[in-house]
Short mmCIF file of all heavy atoms in Angstrom, two decimals:
data_model
loop_
_atom_site.label_atom_id
_atom_site.label_comp_id
_atom_site.label_asym_id
_atom_site.label_seq_id
_atom_site.Cartn_x
_atom_site.Cartn_y
_atom_site.Cartn_z
N CYS A 194 6.78 -15.18 50.00
CA CYS A 194 7.11 -13.88 49.41
C CYS A 194 7.99 -13.07 50.38
O CYS A 194 7.67 -12.97 51.57
CB CYS A 194 5.84 -13.10 49.09
SG CYS A 194 4.86 -13.80 47.75
N ILE A 195 9.04 -12.49 49.85
CA ILE A 195 9.95 -11.70 50.66
C ILE A 195 9.32 -10.35 50.93
O ILE A 195 8.75 -9.71 50.02
CB ILE A 195 11.34 -11.56 49.97
CG1 ILE A 195 12.02 -12.93 49.92
CG2 ILE A 195 12.21 -10.54 50.66
CD1 ILE A 195 13.29 -12.95 49.12
N LEU A 196 9.41 -9.87 52.16
CA LEU A 196 8.73 -8.65 52.59
C LEU A 196 9.14 -7.46 51.73
O LEU A 196 8.28 -6.67 51.31
CB LEU A 196 9.01 -8.37 54.05
CG LEU A 196 8.38 -7.12 54.62
CD1 LEU A 196 6.85 -7.13 54.50
CD2 LEU A 196 8.79 -6.94 56.09
N GLU A 197 10.40 -7.30 51.43
CA GLU A 197 10.86 -6.16 50.64
C GLU A 197 10.28 -6.19 49.24
O GLU A 197 9.93 -5.15 48.66
CB GLU A 197 12.38 -6.12 50.59
CG GLU A 197 12.93 -4.87 49.92
CD GLU A 197 14.42 -4.74 50.04
OE1 GLU A 197 15.15 -5.72 49.77
OE2 GLU A 197 14.90 -3.66 50.42
N GLU A 198 10.17 -7.37 48.67
CA GLU A 198 9.61 -7.47 47.32
C GLU A 198 8.11 -7.16 47.32
O GLU A 198 7.59 -6.55 46.39
CB GLU A 198 9.89 -8.86 46.76
CG GLU A 198 11.39 -9.11 46.53
CD GLU A 198 11.69 -10.50 46.02
OE1 GLU A 198 10.75 -11.27 45.79
OE2 GLU A 198 12.89 -10.81 45.87
N LEU A 199 7.43 -7.57 48.37
CA LEU A 199 6.01 -7.21 48.52
C LEU A 199 5.87 -5.69 48.68
O LEU A 199 4.96 -5.07 48.13
CB LEU A 199 5.38 -7.92 49.71
CG LEU A 199 5.17 -9.44 49.56
CD1 LEU A 199 4.57 -10.00 50.84
CD2 LEU A 199 4.31 -9.77 48.35
N SER A 200 6.77 -5.10 49.47
CA SER A 200 6.73 -3.66 49.66
C SER A 200 6.89 -2.92 48.35
O SER A 200 6.17 -1.97 48.04
CB SER A 200 7.84 -3.23 50.63
OG SER A 200 7.63 -3.75 51.92
N ARG A 201 7.83 -3.38 47.55
CA ARG A 201 8.06 -2.77 46.25
C ARG A 201 6.82 -2.93 45.34
O ARG A 201 6.40 -2.01 44.65
CB ARG A 201 9.28 -3.40 45.59
CG ARG A 201 9.75 -2.69 44.32
CD ARG A 201 10.98 -3.36 43.74
NE ARG A 201 12.08 -3.38 44.70
CZ ARG A 201 12.61 -4.51 45.22
NH1 ARG A 201 12.14 -5.68 44.86
NH2 ARG A 201 13.58 -4.45 46.06
N TYR A 202 6.23 -4.12 45.40
CA TYR A 202 5.06 -4.42 44.57
C TYR A 202 3.90 -3.49 44.91
O TYR A 202 3.26 -2.90 44.01
CB TYR A 202 4.67 -5.89 44.78
CG TYR A 202 3.44 -6.33 44.02
CD1 TYR A 202 3.54 -6.86 42.74
CD2 TYR A 202 2.17 -6.23 44.58
CE1 TYR A 202 2.42 -7.29 42.05
CE2 TYR A 202 1.04 -6.65 43.89
CZ TYR A 202 1.17 -7.17 42.62
OH TYR A 202 0.06 -7.57 41.93
N VAL A 203 3.57 -3.33 46.17
CA VAL A 203 2.41 -2.52 46.54
C VAL A 203 2.72 -1.02 46.42
O VAL A 203 1.82 -0.22 46.15
CB VAL A 203 1.88 -2.88 47.94
CG1 VAL A 203 1.42 -4.31 48.00
CG2 VAL A 203 2.91 -2.58 49.04
N GLU A 204 4.00 -0.63 46.65
CA GLU A 204 4.36 0.78 46.52
C GLU A 204 4.21 1.25 45.08
O GLU A 204 3.88 2.43 44.82
CB GLU A 204 5.76 1.03 47.05
CG GLU A 204 5.83 1.04 48.57
CD GLU A 204 7.23 1.32 49.10
OE1 GLU A 204 8.03 1.93 48.33
OE2 GLU A 204 7.49 0.95 50.24
N GLU A 205 4.48 0.38 44.14
CA GLU A 205 4.26 0.73 42.73
C GLU A 205 2.79 0.97 42.42
O GLU A 205 2.46 1.56 41.40
CB GLU A 205 4.80 -0.41 41.83
CG GLU A 205 6.32 -0.52 41.84
CD GLU A 205 6.81 -1.77 41.13
OE1 GLU A 205 5.93 -2.60 40.74
OE2 GLU A 205 8.03 -1.92 40.97
N ARG A 206 1.93 0.53 43.32
CA ARG A 206 0.49 0.69 43.17
C ARG A 206 -0.08 1.66 44.20
O ARG A 206 -1.27 1.64 44.51
CB ARG A 206 -0.19 -0.69 43.26
CG ARG A 206 0.18 -1.59 42.07
CD ARG A 206 0.05 -3.06 42.39
NE ARG A 206 0.32 -3.89 41.22
CZ ARG A 206 1.55 -4.18 40.80
NH1 ARG A 206 2.61 -3.73 41.45
NH2 ARG A 206 1.72 -4.93 39.71
N ASP A 207 0.81 2.49 44.80
CA ASP A 207 0.46 3.57 45.73
C ASP A 207 -0.07 3.06 47.06
O ASP A 207 -0.89 3.71 47.70
CB ASP A 207 -0.55 4.52 45.09
CG ASP A 207 0.09 5.41 44.04
OD1 ASP A 207 1.27 5.73 44.17
OD2 ASP A 207 -0.60 5.76 43.06
N PHE A 208 0.43 1.91 47.51
CA PHE A 208 0.14 1.40 48.84
C PHE A 208 1.46 1.02 49.50
O PHE A 208 2.52 1.00 48.87
CB PHE A 208 -0.78 0.18 48.78
CG PHE A 208 -2.19 0.50 48.40
CD1 PHE A 208 -2.56 0.64 47.06
CD2 PHE A 208 -3.17 0.68 49.36
CE1 PHE A 208 -3.86 0.95 46.68
CE2 PHE A 208 -4.48 1.00 49.01
CZ PHE A 208 -4.82 1.14 47.68
N ILE A 209 1.42 0.74 50.80
CA ILE A 209 2.60 0.25 51.50
C ILE A 209 2.23 -0.96 52.35
O ILE A 209 1.06 -1.14 52.70
CB ILE A 209 3.24 1.32 52.41
CG1 ILE A 209 2.27 1.76 53.51
CG2 ILE A 209 3.75 2.51 51.61
CD1 ILE A 209 2.92 2.62 54.58
N MET A 210 3.20 -1.77 52.66
CA MET A 210 2.97 -2.86 53.60
C MET A 210 2.83 -2.29 54.99
O MET A 210 3.55 -1.35 55.35
CB MET A 210 4.12 -3.86 53.57
CG MET A 210 4.26 -4.62 52.26
SD MET A 210 2.82 -5.71 51.93
CE MET A 210 3.06 -6.98 53.17
N PRO A 211 1.93 -2.82 55.82
CA PRO A 211 1.78 -2.30 57.19
C PRO A 211 2.93 -2.72 58.10
O PRO A 211 2.97 -2.29 59.26
CB PRO A 211 0.47 -2.94 57.65
CG PRO A 211 0.38 -4.21 56.87
CD PRO A 211 0.99 -3.91 55.52
N LEU A 212 3.84 -3.51 57.57
CA LEU A 212 4.96 -4.04 58.34
C LEU A 212 6.27 -3.63 57.68
O LEU A 212 6.41 -3.70 56.45
CB LEU A 212 4.85 -5.57 58.38
CG LEU A 212 5.98 -6.36 59.05
CD1 LEU A 212 5.95 -6.15 60.56
CD2 LEU A 212 5.85 -7.84 58.72
N ASP A 213 7.23 -3.20 58.50
CA ASP A 213 8.57 -2.86 57.98
C ASP A 213 9.59 -3.33 59.00
O ASP A 213 9.48 -3.01 60.20
CB ASP A 213 8.69 -1.36 57.74
CG ASP A 213 9.98 -1.02 57.00
OD1 ASP A 213 10.56 -1.89 56.34
OD2 ASP A 213 10.45 0.14 57.13
N LEU A 214 10.60 -4.07 58.54
CA LEU A 214 11.63 -4.63 59.43
C LEU A 214 13.00 -4.37 58.81
O LEU A 214 13.12 -4.24 57.60
CB LEU A 214 11.45 -6.13 59.59
CG LEU A 214 10.12 -6.68 60.07
CD1 LEU A 214 10.12 -8.20 59.96
CD2 LEU A 214 9.86 -6.26 61.51
N GLY A 215 14.02 -4.37 59.66
CA GLY A 215 15.37 -4.31 59.15
C GLY A 215 15.69 -5.53 58.30
O GLY A 215 16.52 -5.46 57.39
N ALA A 216 15.02 -6.65 58.57
CA ALA A 216 15.27 -7.90 57.86
C ALA A 216 14.41 -8.06 56.63
O ALA A 216 14.32 -9.16 56.07
CB ALA A 216 15.01 -9.09 58.79
N LYS A 217 13.79 -6.98 56.16
CA LYS A 217 12.79 -7.10 55.10
C LYS A 217 13.35 -7.67 53.79
O LYS A 217 12.59 -8.22 52.98
CB LYS A 217 12.12 -5.76 54.83
CG LYS A 217 13.07 -4.67 54.29
CD LYS A 217 12.34 -3.36 54.15
CE LYS A 217 13.26 -2.25 53.70
NZ LYS A 217 12.55 -0.96 53.64
N GLY A 218 14.63 -7.55 53.57
CA GLY A 218 15.21 -8.09 52.35
C GLY A 218 15.37 -9.61 52.36
O GLY A 218 15.65 -10.21 51.32
N SER A 219 15.19 -10.22 53.52
CA SER A 219 15.35 -11.66 53.63
C SER A 219 14.12 -12.38 54.19
O SER A 219 13.86 -13.52 53.83
CB SER A 219 16.54 -11.99 54.54
OG SER A 219 17.71 -11.39 54.10
N CYS A 220 13.39 -11.74 55.08
CA CYS A 220 12.30 -12.41 55.79
C CYS A 220 11.12 -12.66 54.84
O CYS A 220 10.89 -11.94 53.89
CB CYS A 220 11.87 -11.61 57.00
SG CYS A 220 11.21 -9.97 56.64
N HIS A 221 10.37 -13.73 55.15
CA HIS A 221 9.17 -14.10 54.37
C HIS A 221 7.93 -13.62 55.11
O HIS A 221 7.86 -13.64 56.33
CB HIS A 221 9.09 -15.61 54.19
CG HIS A 221 10.21 -16.19 53.40
ND1 HIS A 221 10.28 -17.55 53.10
CD2 HIS A 221 11.30 -15.65 52.82
CE1 HIS A 221 11.37 -17.80 52.39
NE2 HIS A 221 12.01 -16.66 52.21
N ILE A 222 6.91 -13.25 54.35
CA ILE A 222 5.68 -12.77 54.98
C ILE A 222 5.02 -13.86 55.85
O ILE A 222 4.47 -13.56 56.90
CB ILE A 222 4.68 -12.25 53.92
CG1 ILE A 222 3.49 -11.54 54.59
CG2 ILE A 222 4.25 -13.37 53.00
CD1 ILE A 222 3.85 -10.31 55.36
N GLY A 223 5.15 -15.11 55.43
CA GLY A 223 4.60 -16.20 56.26
C GLY A 223 5.30 -16.30 57.58
O GLY A 223 4.66 -16.51 58.63
N GLY A 224 6.62 -16.14 57.58
CA GLY A 224 7.38 -16.12 58.83
C GLY A 224 7.06 -14.93 59.68
O GLY A 224 6.99 -15.03 60.92
N ASN A 225 6.85 -13.79 59.04
CA ASN A 225 6.45 -12.56 59.77
C ASN A 225 5.15 -12.82 60.53
O ASN A 225 5.02 -12.46 61.70
CB ASN A 225 6.26 -11.40 58.83
CG ASN A 225 7.51 -10.97 58.07
OD1 ASN A 225 7.44 -10.52 56.96
ND2 ASN A 225 8.67 -11.15 58.69
N VAL A 226 4.19 -13.43 59.83
CA VAL A 226 2.89 -13.69 60.45
C VAL A 226 3.03 -14.76 61.52
O VAL A 226 2.46 -14.64 62.60
CB VAL A 226 1.86 -14.12 59.38
CG1 VAL A 226 0.55 -14.54 60.04
CG2 VAL A 226 1.61 -12.97 58.40
#
Side-chain angles (χ1 to χ4, degrees):
C194 291
I195 293 173
L196 179 59
E197 186 172 49
E198 294 178 4
L199 290 179
S200 295
R201 189 179 302 116
Y202 178 89
V203 298
E204 284 181 23
E205 290 171 354
R206 292 156 177 80
D207 288 328
F208 288 83
I209 62 170
M210 293 296 290
L212 176 71
D213 188 23
L214 305 171
K217 64 184 177 183
S219 303
C220 62
H221 296 181
I222 189 63
N225 298 148
V226 174

